[in-house]
Amino acid sequence: WQLIIPRSKTDPPLVFHWIPFVGSAIEYGNDPMKFFISSQAKYGNVFTFILLGRKVTVCLGPKGNNFVLGGKSTVLNAEDAYTHLTTPVFGRDVVYDVPNEVFMEQKKFVKVGLSTDNFRAYVGMIEQEVEEFLANDPSFSIYQQNDINPWGKFESVKVLSEITILTASRTLQGSEVRDSITTNFAQTYTDLDGGFTPINFMFPNLPLESYRKRDRAQKKMSDFYVEFIKKRRAGGGSGQHDMIAALINQKYRSGKSLRDHEIAHIMIALLMAGQHTSSATGSWALLHLADREDVAEALYQEQVKHFGINGQPGKFRPLTYEDLRDLPVLDSVIRETLRVHPPIHSIMRAVRDDVPIPPTLATPSSKSGSGTYIVRKGHVVLASPLFAQMDPKIWKNASEWEPTRWNDPEGVAMSALKEYTDENGEKIDFGFGAVSKGTDSPYQPFGAGRHRCIGEQFAYLQLGTILSTLVRKLEFKIPTGVPAHNYHTMITMPKTPRDIHYRRRHFD
Ligand code: HEM
């Protein structure tokens, strides 16, 4: 049937598929990385595939990322690509339900809440939450017995999800959320989260019970936040180090304050944006630490060096925000985990106007035409941080989780990057050392450009404190090895089984 679709010479190559409408949905959905690699081998860095009736043009490599993430939002647009997924979950009048200029103002408001002052207050709170979790959660019953010898096990994603939501609610979300998290809030959150799946992304409106549950949960969650925003306003709302306290005081350029439901919906958006991304990253990091005793030991020794108390085994002074910023092993464990397992493997933009592909990214071969490829209005363009981060032309031993690459100025990542030459023979200097945050960087777990993540520092702080607290107290192993990726969820998760074995740390 592909032979009968009228195709222009300027259309990027179309990935071959057998079933109309479905197109390459199964290959892409099962393993996007494998799909990108095999399609790149056949068609080059730019190709179009059919995803359940949509035409998606993939632009691979740092230049592809640059094209998609550096594009003007009037042409390559995020709200058109995502709003059908996010608005029913977050609610109206925020994020992708408003014009981009309004959302950019909202992002600035959130940045006020992500202040250094707030971060200073959060580290101790997170440490305390993790310690309480270890002391009370049934997953750590063996730890709670106080005996150092037996090994127990826990389900990595379950434990990290719980720790992530507890620590995010204790800090950013505020005391009201933390206090209700073990009661009615938890079920509402689960129902809302059930609306954040690839099915919801592909089919915005299906007459399914899960969609109705999602809508009911959104309303309930929104009412819940609005109620305590009102209470905060009535009580003066100051003295808190959380996001609501920051948002209550913000004003749009027009002079208008944020309305209660807008604050509520921003809070829901932040909860959803941080929850799976951070819990997946924490799970992957722990799975690798369990697999690499040498790295876990280096991480532990870093804690002893910075926080140990007079050589007393197992005794540490509390973590602080300033300390966390200066722990190279911890930093490299998180950085490398995000390279190999970026939670968001594909970033999409809807095309609002016909747009030419820059010739430095791809050009039609002489056989299929000449000039420039054009991506048509109504299509979607896709950049993949995962692909560039795992590209063996860019990274030495690309598929290996090797945190040391980030610590050695002459190390593997650097030398590989220095040698990097793209397919046109052009040498590329990524300005490594400090990892480039540009739209053409080969390292973009937090995206790039105007839609770049604003939660990066919070995520490092949260993950850094969680990992430090766990590694101070526990040893890990994973007899089954690090699991493969499960790409069937919105955020890339480890496949089951994903149990980590643990025991109390020995100090002999
Ligand atoms: C945007 C990743 C944690 C809030 C993004 C984007 C990525 C990303 C890739 C860009 C999406 C796009 O361009 O379409 C991550 C990862 C995280 C993380 C890997 C943790 C390891 C967080 C946290 C928060 C947050 C904790 C909130 C506190 C946001 C917001 C945006 C964003 C508000 C902006 C969306 C836009 O401008 O369109 N994140 N994120 N993220 N993230 Fe994160």
Side-chain angles (χ1 to χ4, degrees):
W1 77 281
Q2 292 172 72
L3 298 176
I4 54 173
I5 296 182
R7 289 182 48 74
S8 149
K9 285 180 178 173
T10 57
D11 286 346
L14 182 69
V15 175
F16 179 81
H17 52 275
W18 290 104
I19 313 174
F21 186 79
V22 174
S24 308
I26 306 212
E27 292 92 321
Y28 170 70
N30 280 341
D31 190 341
M33 189 65 184
K34 198 165 146 201
F35 173 69
F36 293 152
I37 292 172
S38 70
S39 303
Q40 187 200 38
K42 288 182 212 144
Y43 309 107
N45 275 338
V46 175
F47 49 87
T48 300
F49 74 98
I50 305 296
L51 178 66
L52 302 175
R54 277 171 228 193
K55 286 190 175 154
V56 181
T57 297
V58 179
C59 303
L60 294 175
K63 285 182 182 167
N65 294 346
N66 190 35
F67 170 67
V68 174
L69 304 180
K72 284 196 184 132
S73 74
T74 44
V75 181
L76 302 182
N77 185 273
E79 35 299 14
D80 292 359
Y82 297 143
T83 191
H84 59 283
L85 171 75
T86 55
T87 301
V89 177
F90 302 165
R92 306 308 305 220
D93 297 328
V94 301
V95 188
Y96 304 122
D97 190 48
V98 289
N100 190 249
E101 317 79 76
V102 179
F103 177 38
M104 290 299 128
E105 283 199 74
Q106 294 175 346
K107 265 178 109 170
K108 277 200 198 118
F109 302 155
V110 172
K111 278 190 191 157
V112 176
L114 297 169
S115 65
T116 308
D117 246 13
N118 283 359
F119 285 174
R120 286 208 179 93
Y122 292 168
V123 176
M125 295 177 181
I126 297 174
E127 191 177 2
Q128 197 188 7
E129 281 293 335
V130 179
E131 284 179 349
E132 279 170 19
F133 191 86
L134 276 177
N136 298 309
D137 193 83
S139 299
F140 290 103
S141 55
I142 300 286
Y143 171 83
Q144 290 147 19
Q145 284 169 15
N146 249 340
D147 181 347
I148 55 172
N149 286 317
W151 287 85
K153 61 181 177 177
F154 62 88
E155 212 278 63
S156 53
V157 171
K158 179 175 178 291
V159 160
L160 261 296
S161 302
E162 287 174 16
I163 291 181
T164 306
I165 201 159
L166 286 169
T167 52
S169 57
R170 175 78 181 269
T171 53
L172 273 190
Q173 292 281 323
S175 54
E176 295 90 337
V177 178
R178 177 62 189 88
D179 292 345
S180 19
I181 200 98
T182 44
T183 57
N184 51 348
F185 189 90
Q187 187 54 49
T188 313
Y189 170 77
T190 307
D191 293 347
L192 192 57
D193 193 45
F196 206 66
T197 72
I199 301 284
N200 296 87
F201 182 66
M202 293 315 305
F203 304 103
N205 296 302
L206 288 180
L208 294 179
E209 180 51 22
S210 66
Y211 284 55
R212 286 189 284 273
K213 254 192 188 166
R214 172 199 68 187
D215 295 344
R216 284 196 299 269
Q218 202 293 322
K219 166 96 179 55
K220 212 166 154 188
M221 188 81 117
S222 176
D223 290 349
F224 171 79
Y225 277 104
V226 166
E227 193 186 309
F228 71 72
I229 293 163
K230 283 196 192 312
K231 280 193 190 143
R232 287 258 190 124
R233 286 197 199 274
S238 61
Q240 308 265 14
H241 280 287
D242 57 41
M243 188 57 74
I244 292 181
L247 293 179
I248 278 180
N249 293 319
Q250 305 306 312
K251 279 195 169 68
Y252 288 110
R253 274 194 297 271
S254 63
K256 283 192 184 146
S257 296
L258 278 164
R259 292 169 290 173
D260 290 356
H261 78 277
E262 290 172 330
I263 299 180
H265 297 171
I266 291 175
M267 295 306 293
I268 297 174
L270 296 179
L271 184 69
M272 304 302 289
Q275 176 58 22
H276 293 297
T277 46
S278 293
S279 63
T281 309
S283 307
W284 283 114
L286 270 194
L287 288 161
H288 279 288
L289 288 171
D291 188 53
R292 283 283 301 272
E293 215 180 290
D294 57 329
V295 182
E297 181 59 21
L299 192 57
Y300 178 69
Q301 289 307 333
E302 186 177 65
Q303 293 289 318
V304 172
K305 185 172 146 207
H306 284 79
F307 307 101
I309 302 177
N310 303 331
Q312 296 175 56
K315 294 268 180 271
F316 299 92
R317 69 177 170 80
L319 292 158
T320 68
Y321 173 67
E322 273 67 26
D323 293 321
L324 269 180
R325 292 162 61 87
D326 191 24
L327 298 172
V329 181
L330 180 63
D331 188 84
S332 67
V333 163
I334 300 172
R335 205 166 289 280
E336 180 67 347
T337 302
L338 286 164
R339 183 185 71 83
V340 181
H341 310 285
I344 299 176
H345 60 71
S346 298
I347 296 182
M348 302 200 191
R349 302 285 182 260
V351 181
R352 279 190 172 176
D353 254 325
D354 288 2
V355 57
I357 295 280
T360 48
L361 171 56
T363 46
S365 68
S366 53
K367 241 199 279 170
S368 59
S370 62
T372 308
Y373 285 132
I374 310 277
V375 188
R376 301 285 164 201
K377 183 177 170 174
H379 293 195
V380 168
V381 287
L382 181 157
S384 174
L386 174 66
F387 186 87
Q389 290 176 192
M390 296 298 281
D391 187 344
K393 290 209 290 309
I394 302 180
W395 307 87
K396 199 163 160 185
N397 301 328
S399 58
E400 270 162 48
W401 183 84
E402 188 47 75
T404 55
R405 76 173 75 236
W406 296 98
N407 296 328
D408 177 359
E410 292 303 317
V412 283
M414 302 290 286
S415 56
L417 282 168
K418 275 179 197 153
E419 288 158 18
Y420 181 68
T421 319
D422 78 358
E423 35 302 311
N424 306 326
E426 206 179 303
K427 286 228 181 295
I428 299 209
D429 174 7
F430 290 114
F432 250 60
V435 188
S436 154
K437 290 191 173 174
T439 47
D440 59 353
S441 169
Y443 184 74
Q444 295 176 328
F446 294 97
R450 66 192 299 113
H451 290 284
R452 194 178 192 286
C453 185
I454 47 175
E456 175 176 4
Q457 278 182 303
F458 177 78
Y460 264 84
L461 178 150
Q462 186 183 27
L463 287 165
T465 311
I466 293 171
L467 293 176
S468 301
T469 312
L470 292 177
V471 87
R472 284 176 176 194
K473 299 188 185 303
L474 301 173
E475 290 172 24
F476 306 108
K477 65 180 183 186
I478 181 154
T480 46
V482 178
H485 289 117
N486 171 9
Y487 292 108
H488 291 166
T489 41
M490 285 305 289
I491 298 295
T492 311
M493 286 289 174
K495 276 190 175 159
T496 52
R498 49 197 183 190
D499 286 345
I500 293 177
H501 295 231
Y502 73 90
R503 70 172 173 183
R504 249 176 201 272
R505 190 168 273 287
H506 286 219
F507 298 110
D508 40 39

PDB file of all heavy atoms in Angstrom, residues 405-429:
ATOM      1  N   ARG A 405      33.511   7.380  33.803  1.00  0.00           N
ATOM      2  CA  ARG A 405      33.741   8.186  32.587  1.00  0.00           C
ATOM      3  C   ARG A 405      33.552   9.690  32.866  1.00  0.00           C
ATOM      4  O   ARG A 405      34.081  10.523  32.163  1.00  0.00           O
ATOM      5  CB  ARG A 405      32.862   7.729  31.435  1.00  0.00           C
ATOM      6  CG  ARG A 405      31.426   8.144  31.533  1.00  0.00           C
ATOM      7  CD  ARG A 405      30.618   7.807  30.273  1.00  0.00           C
ATOM      8  NE  ARG A 405      30.288   6.403  30.135  1.00  0.00           N
ATOM      9  CZ  ARG A 405      30.603   5.649  29.086  1.00  0.00           C
ATOM     10  NH1 ARG A 405      31.252   6.168  28.084  1.00  0.00           N
ATOM     11  NH2 ARG A 405      30.257   4.393  29.038  1.00  0.00           N
ATOM     12  N   TRP A 406      32.755   9.990  33.884  1.00  0.00           N
ATOM     13  CA  TRP A 406      32.440  11.407  34.141  1.00  0.00           C
ATOM     14  C   TRP A 406      33.465  12.091  35.041  1.00  0.00           C
ATOM     15  O   TRP A 406      33.438  13.312  35.172  1.00  0.00           O
ATOM     16  CB  TRP A 406      31.057  11.537  34.789  1.00  0.00           C
ATOM     17  CG  TRP A 406      29.974  11.080  33.886  1.00  0.00           C
ATOM     18  CD1 TRP A 406      29.359   9.858  33.898  1.00  0.00           C
ATOM     19  CD2 TRP A 406      29.388  11.794  32.798  1.00  0.00           C
ATOM     20  NE1 TRP A 406      28.425   9.784  32.896  1.00  0.00           N
ATOM     21  CE2 TRP A 406      28.421  10.961  32.209  1.00  0.00           C
ATOM     22  CE3 TRP A 406      29.584  13.076  32.265  1.00  0.00           C
ATOM     23  CZ2 TRP A 406      27.658  11.354  31.119  1.00  0.00           C
ATOM     24  CZ3 TRP A 406      28.821  13.473  31.183  1.00  0.00           C
ATOM     25  CH2 TRP A 406      27.870  12.617  30.628  1.00  0.00           C
ATOM     26  N   ASN A 407      34.330  11.304  35.694  1.00  0.00           N
ATOM     27  CA  ASN A 407      35.221  11.914  36.681  1.00  0.00           C
ATOM     28  C   ASN A 407      36.612  12.193  36.173  1.00  0.00           C
ATOM     29  O   ASN A 407      37.355  12.968  36.763  1.00  0.00           O
ATOM     30  CB  ASN A 407      35.337  11.017  37.914  1.00  0.00           C
ATOM     31  CG  ASN A 407      34.004  10.885  38.596  1.00  0.00           C
ATOM     32  OD1 ASN A 407      33.210  11.821  38.568  1.00  0.00           O
ATOM     33  ND2 ASN A 407      33.722   9.739  39.162  1.00  0.00           N
ATOM     34  N   ASP A 408      36.993  11.524  35.108  1.00  0.00           N
ATOM     35  CA  ASP A 408      38.364  11.621  34.645  1.00  0.00           C
ATOM     36  C   ASP A 408      38.419  12.611  33.484  1.00  0.00           C
ATOM     37  O   ASP A 408      37.818  12.375  32.434  1.00  0.00           O
ATOM     38  CB  ASP A 408      38.798  10.219  34.190  1.00  0.00           C
ATOM     39  CG  ASP A 408      40.192  10.233  33.631  1.00  0.00           C
ATOM     40  OD1 ASP A 408      40.797  11.317  33.589  1.00  0.00           O
ATOM     41  OD2 ASP A 408      40.660   9.155  33.233  1.00  0.00           O
ATOM     42  N   PRO A 409      39.120  13.719  33.669  1.00  0.00           N
ATOM     43  CA  PRO A 409      39.123  14.737  32.601  1.00  0.00           C
ATOM     44  C   PRO A 409      39.670  14.189  31.282  1.00  0.00           C
ATOM     45  O   PRO A 409      39.352  14.678  30.213  1.00  0.00           O
ATOM     46  CB  PRO A 409      40.001  15.850  33.147  1.00  0.00           C
ATOM     47  CG  PRO A 409      40.543  15.396  34.439  1.00  0.00           C
ATOM     48  CD  PRO A 409      39.900  14.112  34.831  1.00  0.00           C
ATOM     49  N   GLU A 410      40.496  13.160  31.373  1.00  0.00           N
ATOM     50  CA  GLU A 410      40.981  12.545  30.138  1.00  0.00           C
ATOM     51  C   GLU A 410      40.276  11.209  29.908  1.00  0.00           C
ATOM     52  O   GLU A 410      40.777  10.338  29.204  1.00  0.00           O
ATOM     53  CB  GLU A 410      42.501  12.309  30.224  1.00  0.00           C
ATOM     54  CG  GLU A 410      43.328  13.585  30.241  1.00  0.00           C
ATOM     55  CD  GLU A 410      43.063  14.454  29.014  1.00  0.00           C
ATOM     56  OE1 GLU A 410      42.980  13.902  27.906  1.00  0.00           O
ATOM     57  OE2 GLU A 410      42.903  15.674  29.176  1.00  0.00           O
ATOM     58  N   GLY A 411      39.140  11.038  30.568  1.00  0.00           N
ATOM     59  CA  GLY A 411      38.512   9.714  30.599  1.00  0.00           C
ATOM     60  C   GLY A 411      37.798   9.316  29.325  1.00  0.00           C
ATOM     61  O   GLY A 411      37.859   9.996  28.305  1.00  0.00           O
ATOM     62  N   VAL A 412      37.089   8.202  29.429  1.00  0.00           N
ATOM     63  CA  VAL A 412      36.519   7.596  28.237  1.00  0.00           C
ATOM     64  C   VAL A 412      35.564   8.507  27.479  1.00  0.00           C
ATOM     65  O   VAL A 412      35.620   8.592  26.252  1.00  0.00           O
ATOM     66  CB  VAL A 412      35.810   6.263  28.569  1.00  0.00           C
ATOM     67  CG1 VAL A 412      36.794   5.154  28.764  1.00  0.00           C
ATOM     68  CG2 VAL A 412      34.903   6.399  29.773  1.00  0.00           C
ATOM     69  N   ALA A 413      34.722   9.202  28.209  1.00  0.00           N
ATOM     70  CA  ALA A 413      33.744  10.036  27.500  1.00  0.00           C
ATOM     71  C   ALA A 413      34.446  11.141  26.734  1.00  0.00           C
ATOM     72  O   ALA A 413      34.145  11.407  25.566  1.00  0.00           O
ATOM     73  CB  ALA A 413      32.773  10.660  28.483  1.00  0.00           C
ATOM     74  N   MET A 414      35.420  11.752  27.395  1.00  0.00           N
ATOM     75  CA  MET A 414      36.093  12.880  26.770  1.00  0.00           C
ATOM     76  C   MET A 414      36.835  12.461  25.509  1.00  0.00           C
ATOM     77  O   MET A 414      36.690  13.059  24.458  1.00  0.00           O
ATOM     78  CB  MET A 414      37.118  13.470  27.741  1.00  0.00           C
ATOM     79  CG  MET A 414      36.533  13.925  29.042  1.00  0.00           C
ATOM     80  SD  MET A 414      35.541  15.374  28.815  1.00  0.00           S
ATOM     81  CE  MET A 414      36.822  16.564  28.577  1.00  0.00           C
ATOM     82  N   SER A 415      37.633  11.377  25.627  1.00  0.00           N
ATOM     83  CA  SER A 415      38.439  11.028  24.460  1.00  0.00           C
ATOM     84  C   SER A 415      37.530  10.598  23.318  1.00  0.00           C
ATOM     85  O   SER A 415      37.783  10.922  22.167  1.00  0.00           O
ATOM     86  CB  SER A 415      39.453   9.952  24.810  1.00  0.00           C
ATOM     87  OG  SER A 415      38.773   8.852  25.346  1.00  0.00           O
ATOM     88  N   ALA A 416      36.455   9.901  23.669  1.00  0.00           N
ATOM     89  CA  ALA A 416      35.555   9.478  22.600  1.00  0.00           C
ATOM     90  C   ALA A 416      34.956  10.704  21.922  1.00  0.00           C
ATOM     91  O   ALA A 416      34.835  10.778  20.707  1.00  0.00           O
ATOM     92  CB  ALA A 416      34.451   8.609  23.172  1.00  0.00           C
ATOM     93  N   LEU A 417      34.613  11.700  22.741  1.00  0.00           N
ATOM     94  CA  LEU A 417      33.986  12.876  22.157  1.00  0.00           C
ATOM     95  C   LEU A 417      34.965  13.691  21.324  1.00  0.00           C
ATOM     96  O   LEU A 417      34.609  14.244  20.294  1.00  0.00           O
ATOM     97  CB  LEU A 417      33.409  13.754  23.269  1.00  0.00           C
ATOM     98  CG  LEU A 417      32.109  13.231  23.821  1.00  0.00           C
ATOM     99  CD1 LEU A 417      31.738  13.955  25.083  1.00  0.00           C
ATOM    100  CD2 LEU A 417      31.001  13.375  22.800  1.00  0.00           C
ATOM    101  N   LYS A 418      36.204  13.737  21.793  1.00  0.00           N
ATOM    102  CA  LYS A 418      37.179  14.513  21.034  1.00  0.00           C
ATOM    103  C   LYS A 418      37.338  13.949  19.632  1.00  0.00           C
ATOM    104  O   LYS A 418      37.587  14.671  18.684  1.00  0.00           O
ATOM    105  CB  LYS A 418      38.531  14.499  21.751  1.00  0.00           C
ATOM    106  CG  LYS A 418      38.635  15.579  22.807  1.00  0.00           C
ATOM    107  CD  LYS A 418      39.983  15.510  23.491  1.00  0.00           C
ATOM    108  CE  LYS A 418      39.937  16.270  24.795  1.00  0.00           C
ATOM    109  NZ  LYS A 418      40.883  15.754  25.756  1.00  0.00           N
ATOM    110  N   GLU A 419      37.201  12.607  19.538  1.00  0.00           N
ATOM    111  CA  GLU A 419      37.397  11.966  18.236  1.00  0.00           C
ATOM    112  C   GLU A 419      36.158  12.029  17.361  1.00  0.00           C
ATOM    113  O   GLU A 419      36.175  11.573  16.242  1.00  0.00           O
ATOM    114  CB  GLU A 419      37.734  10.474  18.445  1.00  0.00           C
ATOM    115  CG  GLU A 419      39.113  10.234  18.989  1.00  0.00           C
ATOM    116  CD  GLU A 419      39.203   8.865  19.661  1.00  0.00           C
ATOM    117  OE1 GLU A 419      38.332   8.009  19.400  1.00  0.00           O
ATOM    118  OE2 GLU A 419      40.144   8.678  20.452  1.00  0.00           O
ATOM    119  N   TYR A 420      35.046  12.509  17.912  1.00  0.00           N
ATOM    120  CA  TYR A 420      33.781  12.356  17.187  1.00  0.00           C
ATOM    121  C   TYR A 420      33.715  13.160  15.885  1.00  0.00           C
ATOM    122  O   TYR A 420      33.977  14.345  15.844  1.00  0.00           O
ATOM    123  CB  TYR A 420      32.609  12.774  18.087  1.00  0.00           C
ATOM    124  CG  TYR A 420      31.275  12.612  17.405  1.00  0.00           C
ATOM    125  CD1 TYR A 420      30.789  11.347  17.101  1.00  0.00           C
ATOM    126  CD2 TYR A 420      30.522  13.714  17.031  1.00  0.00           C
ATOM    127  CE1 TYR A 420      29.578  11.182  16.466  1.00  0.00           C
ATOM    128  CE2 TYR A 420      29.304  13.564  16.396  1.00  0.00           C
ATOM    129  CZ  TYR A 420      28.841  12.282  16.122  1.00  0.00           C
ATOM    130  OH  TYR A 420      27.637  12.133  15.489  1.00  0.00           O
ATOM    131  N   THR A 421      33.397  12.433  14.849  1.00  0.00           N
ATOM    132  CA  THR A 421      33.242  13.047  13.537  1.00  0.00           C
ATOM    133  C   THR A 421      31.888  12.597  13.013  1.00  0.00           C
ATOM    134  O   THR A 421      31.571  11.420  13.098  1.00  0.00           O
ATOM    135  CB  THR A 421      34.315  12.503  12.558  1.00  0.00           C
ATOM    136  OG1 THR A 421      35.531  12.416  13.250  1.00  0.00           O
ATOM    137  CG2 THR A 421      34.472  13.383  11.350  1.00  0.00           C
ATOM    138  N   ASP A 422      31.069  13.486  12.527  1.00  0.00           N
ATOM    139  CA  ASP A 422      29.740  13.060  12.107  1.00  0.00           C
ATOM    140  C   ASP A 422      29.773  12.435  10.711  1.00  0.00           C
ATOM    141  O   ASP A 422      30.828  12.332  10.086  1.00  0.00           O
ATOM    142  CB  ASP A 422      28.732  14.203  12.222  1.00  0.00           C
ATOM    143  CG  ASP A 422      28.827  15.193  11.075  1.00  0.00           C
ATOM    144  OD1 ASP A 422      29.702  15.020  10.212  1.00  0.00           O
ATOM    145  OD2 ASP A 422      28.030  16.134  11.066  1.00  0.00           O
ATOM    146  N   GLU A 423      28.586  12.026  10.237  1.00  0.00           N
ATOM    147  CA  GLU A 423      28.547  11.252   8.991  1.00  0.00           C
ATOM    148  C   GLU A 423      29.015  12.056   7.772  1.00  0.00           C
ATOM    149  O   GLU A 423      29.410  11.486   6.762  1.00  0.00           O
ATOM    150  CB  GLU A 423      27.189  10.588   8.727  1.00  0.00           C
ATOM    151  CG  GLU A 423      25.913  11.285   9.140  1.00  0.00           C
ATOM    152  CD  GLU A 423      25.841  11.602  10.612  1.00  0.00           C
ATOM    153  OE1 GLU A 423      26.096  10.719  11.425  1.00  0.00           O
ATOM    154  OE2 GLU A 423      25.542  12.770  10.932  1.00  0.00           O
ATOM    155  N   ASN A 424      28.995  13.381   7.864  1.00  0.00           N
ATOM    156  CA  ASN A 424      29.492  14.186   6.736  1.00  0.00           C
ATOM    157  C   ASN A 424      30.982  14.470   6.869  1.00  0.00           C
ATOM    158  O   ASN A 424      31.529  15.297   6.155  1.00  0.00           O
ATOM    159  CB  ASN A 424      28.755  15.536   6.672  1.00  0.00           C
ATOM    160  CG  ASN A 424      27.255  15.350   6.630  1.00  0.00           C
ATOM    161  OD1 ASN A 424      26.790  14.377   6.045  1.00  0.00           O
ATOM    162  ND2 ASN A 424      26.524  16.250   7.251  1.00  0.00           N
ATOM    163  N   GLY A 425      31.617  13.809   7.846  1.00  0.00           N
ATOM    164  CA  GLY A 425      33.062  14.005   8.016  1.00  0.00           C
ATOM    165  C   GLY A 425      33.382  15.275   8.784  1.00  0.00           C
ATOM    166  O   GLY A 425      34.531  15.677   8.926  1.00  0.00           O
ATOM    167  N   GLU A 426      32.329  15.901   9.331  1.00  0.00           N
ATOM    168  CA  GLU A 426      32.544  17.157  10.044  1.00  0.00           C
ATOM    169  C   GLU A 426      32.929  16.868  11.499  1.00  0.00           C
ATOM    170  O   GLU A 426      32.276  16.050  12.161  1.00  0.00           O
ATOM    171  CB  GLU A 426      31.214  17.914  10.036  1.00  0.00           C
ATOM    172  CG  GLU A 426      31.334  19.398  10.149  1.00  0.00           C
ATOM    173  CD  GLU A 426      29.931  20.016  10.109  1.00  0.00           C
ATOM    174  OE1 GLU A 426      29.187  19.786   9.116  1.00  0.00           O
ATOM    175  OE2 GLU A 426      29.585  20.689  11.073  1.00  0.00           O
ATOM    176  N   LYS A 427      33.977  17.514  11.997  1.00  0.00           N
ATOM    177  CA  LYS A 427      34.364  17.285  13.402  1.00  0.00           C
ATOM    178  C   LYS A 427      33.425  18.085  14.303  1.00  0.00           C
ATOM    179  O   LYS A 427      33.097  19.224  14.018  1.00  0.00           O
ATOM    180  CB  LYS A 427      35.793  17.781  13.642  1.00  0.00           C
ATOM    181  CG  LYS A 427      36.844  16.877  13.050  1.00  0.00           C
ATOM    182  CD  LYS A 427      37.939  16.588  14.087  1.00  0.00           C
ATOM    183  CE  LYS A 427      39.032  15.709  13.529  1.00  0.00           C
ATOM    184  NZ  LYS A 427      38.632  14.368  13.166  1.00  0.00           N
ATOM    185  N   ILE A 428      32.987  17.427  15.371  1.00  0.00           N
ATOM    186  CA  ILE A 428      32.061  18.127  16.258  1.00  0.00           C
ATOM    187  C   ILE A 428      32.695  18.313  17.627  1.00  0.00           C
ATOM    188  O   ILE A 428      33.195  17.365  18.215  1.00  0.00           O
ATOM    189  CB  ILE A 428      30.747  17.341  16.398  1.00  0.00           C
ATOM    190  CG1 ILE A 428      30.100  17.223  15.028  1.00  0.00           C
ATOM    191  CG2 ILE A 428      29.821  17.992  17.415  1.00  0.00           C
ATOM    192  CD1 ILE A 428      28.610  17.125  15.025  1.00  0.00           C
ATOM    193  N   ASP A 429      32.668  19.538  18.116  1.00  0.00           N
ATOM    194  CA  ASP A 429      33.189  19.810  19.442  1.00  0.00           C
ATOM    195  C   ASP A 429      31.998  20.100  20.357  1.00  0.00           C
ATOM    196  O   ASP A 429      31.286  21.082  20.169  1.00  0.00           O
ATOM    197  CB  ASP A 429      34.113  21.035  19.362  1.00  0.00           C
ATOM    198  CG  ASP A 429      34.584  21.457  20.733  1.00  0.00           C
ATOM    199  OD1 ASP A 429      34.306  20.720  21.697  1.00  0.00           O
ATOM    200  OD2 ASP A 429      35.217  22.514  20.830  1.00  0.00           O
TER     201      ASP A 429
END
